[in-house]
Amino acid sequence: MTDQTQERIAGLVNGADVLLFMKGSPLFPQCGFSSRAVAILNHLGVEFDSVDVLQDQEVRQGIKAFSDWPTIPQLYVKGEFVGGSDIMMEMYESGELAQLFADQGVTPA
């Protein structure tokens, strides 16, 4: 990953309280895992920004190196990597994800 790509990803991650790197958009997810991640965030009622990795190959590959996580989607809250779709589902089901948003001051929309 180039320094420019890393800086761009860091700017995106730090520029939003809740950011989802995903395939497609929240209105039209392009994979089941991205669709599940969007559904979880929508159910919790939090506002989030998203980045469609299918539109930019540098970001698509760079985000994997940035987080040291091999799959997409990837959720960031207040600049911190939370996890992918499976981790989001586990945290959602246990109540940890809602608690994380509350602890970070991310309130429902």
Side-chain angles (χ1 to χ4, degrees), residues 9-17 19 66 78-80:
I9 291 171
L12 291 166
V13 165
N14 294 316
D17 285 349
L19 180 64
F66 185 85
K78 299 277 182 145
E80 296 294 321

Side-chain angles (χ1 to χ4, degrees), residues 17 19-20 34 38 40 45-46 49 52 55 64 69 97:
D17 285 349
L19 180 64
L20 183 66
S34 291
V38 168
I40 291 168
V46 296
D49 291 337
D52 180 359
Q55 300 299 316
K64 296 174 185 179
W69 191 261
L97 193 56

Side-chain angles (χ1 to χ4, degrees), residues 1 7 28 30 61 103:
M1 168 172 51
E7 289 173 17
F28 194 60
Q30 296 291 306
Q61 294 307 315
D103 291 347

Side-chain angles (χ1 to χ4, degrees), residues 25-58:
S25 69
L27 293 176
F28 194 60
Q30 296 291 306
C31 80
F33 297 110
S34 291
S35 180
R36 179 168 45 169
V38 168
I40 291 168
L41 294 173
N42 285 340
H43 190 267
L44 291 172
V46 296
E47 286 189 33
F48 66 97
D49 291 337
S50 67
V51 175
D52 180 359
V53 300
L54 298 176
Q55 300 299 316
D56 189 327
Q57 281 300 317
E58 284 185 32

Side-chain angles (χ1 to χ4, degrees), residues 40-41 44 75 82 88 91-92 95-102:
I40 291 168
L41 294 173
L44 291 172
L75 177 66
V82 175
M88 287 177 67
M91 291 178 72
Y92 170 72
E96 287 179 80
L97 193 56
Q99 188 61 52
L100 172 69
F101 289 134

Side-chain angles (χ1 to χ4, degrees), residues 79-98:
E80 296 294 321
F81 176 63
V82 175
S85 177
D86 292 342
I87 290 174
M88 287 177 67
M89 181 57 85
E90 290 173 19
M91 291 178 72
Y92 170 72
E93 289 174 344
S94 71
E96 287 179 80
L97 193 56

